[in-house]
Amino acid sequence: MTVYFIGAGPGDPELLTLKAQRIISECPVCLYAGSLVPEAVVAGAPEGALVMDTAPMTLDDTHAQIVAAHAKGQDVARVHSGDPSLYGAIAEQIRRLKAEGIDYQIIPGVPAYAAAAAALGQELTVPEIAQSIVLTRMSMKSTSMPEGETLENFARTGATLAIHLGIRALREIERVLTPHYGADCPVVVAYRASWPDEVFLRGTLSDIHAKVRAEKITRTALILVGPALADIMDFKDSALYDPEIPHVLRPKVLV
């Protein structure tokens, strides 16, 4: 018996990986986070499977279902939004599985920031503009952030920031980031990226709060911040395909 932690991606069922789709279709027990995973993602569960929305359940509740399946020798598809490795709350589940000797595997999924970038039609790492992405979140009412992992520290890098759980803290984000990025730094708020009702708001650190308020967006949004989000056309080409710069797969300089 195996518990499969499956990344369902940002919402669009077609962004589910082939492996994830296959495993869901084979597992007699499917536990999915219904607040962020649409039912269409688990619609491929086998006929007669136990399919449960875990949104109203506690950790003890979901673990009890896994233990019951284990007793019957049934595999479990534990379906999470995005990629399970990022804010997937799987570490505490895995700790319990290890303590009880229950096998598990993790199936990666498309993270929200990747889906947002695809919908925006742009790269988040533009040569000589930004070559790093910081995935972080605001603490708010969630688990506190470790010492040193502050928004201000990340802002000093000038990297592209992908901020989760921050839509209610836009004023604080503006206050902290403006001294480092400037008031006119591009910001994108991606609401329910890849869902039928997705919304993308473009703005700057100085005006994005007003735009979000006008749209009445209060949850399920990712905030992207950084100069790479601008409509830049005069950046330097990547060295990867530069004919003057050889590499191991193209050792000779083309002339």
Side-chain angles (χ1 to χ4, degrees):
M1 177 269 180
T2 302
V3 176
Y4 295 94
F5 291 101
I6 297 174
D12 182 354
E14 292 189 341
L15 291 179
L16 198 63
T17 67
L18 292 174
K19 186 172 185 177
Q21 191 175 51
R22 175 181 62 79
I23 292 174
I24 289 173
S25 73
E26 295 174 350
C27 287
V29 177
C30 180
L31 308 175
Y32 74 104
S35 59
L36 295 172
V37 176
E39 289 185 20
V41 166
V42 296
E47 185 176 354
L50 174 63
V51 180
M52 299 183 67
D53 178 1
T54 61
M57 299 168 65
T58 67
L59 177 60
D60 286 341
D61 294 336
T62 57
H63 186 68
Q65 292 296 328
I66 290 172
V67 170
H70 181 255
K72 299 175 184 177
Q74 297 177 323
D75 289 340
V76 175
R78 182 67 176 101
V79 186
H80 288 264
S81 63
D83 181 88
S85 68
L86 183 63
Y87 309 126
I90 65 172
E92 56 262 46
Q93 297 178 69
I94 290 173
R95 179 168 55 192
R96 292 189 176 204
L97 297 182
K98 286 183 175 180
E100 299 186 27
I102 299 176
D103 290 336
Y104 70 92
Q105 291 184 28
I106 300 174
I107 312 302
V110 176
Y113 78 87
L120 294 169
Q122 62 185 103
E123 187 174 356
L124 299 180
T125 52
V126 180
E128 298 187 343
I129 304 297
Q131 289 293 286
S132 301
I133 301 172
V134 176
L135 306 176
T136 187
R137 66 171 177 81
M138 301 297 287
S139 57
M140 301 297 286
K141 295 181 180 180
S142 305
T143 305
S144 60
M145 296 292 285
E147 185 178 354
E149 290 191 21
T150 66
L151 197 58
E152 186 170 11
N153 282 346
F154 294 140
R156 292 191 181 101
T157 68
T160 302
L161 304 181
I163 306 171
H164 295 74
L165 304 177
I167 199 64
R168 294 177 181 269
L170 277 174
R171 284 297 192 196
E172 176 66 7
I173 290 171
E174 175 189 355
R175 183 190 69 79
V176 174
L177 298 187
T178 297
H180 300 278
Y181 288 86
D184 60 348
C185 179
V187 179
V188 174
V189 169
Y191 171 74
R192 287 166 65 89
S194 86
W195 289 67
D197 59 345
E198 67 180 5
V199 174
F200 293 91
L201 298 180
R202 282 187 177 270
T204 64
L205 281 172
S206 63
D207 66 14
I208 194 64
H209 180 263
K211 293 183 177 183
V212 167
R213 285 194 63 182
E215 288 290 332
K216 296 181 172 59
I217 297 174
T218 60
R219 61 186 299 272
T220 324
L222 174 70
I223 303 166
L224 300 173
V225 182
L229 297 168
D231 187 15
I232 307 169
M233 299 301 291
D234 59 350
F235 59 87
K236 183 179 180 180
D237 287 347
S238 168
L240 181 61
Y241 301 108
D242 190 330
E244 300 298 323
I245 304 177
H247 56 69
V248 66
L249 298 179
R250 195 183 63 242
K252 295 182 180 180
V253 176
L254 302 178
V255 294

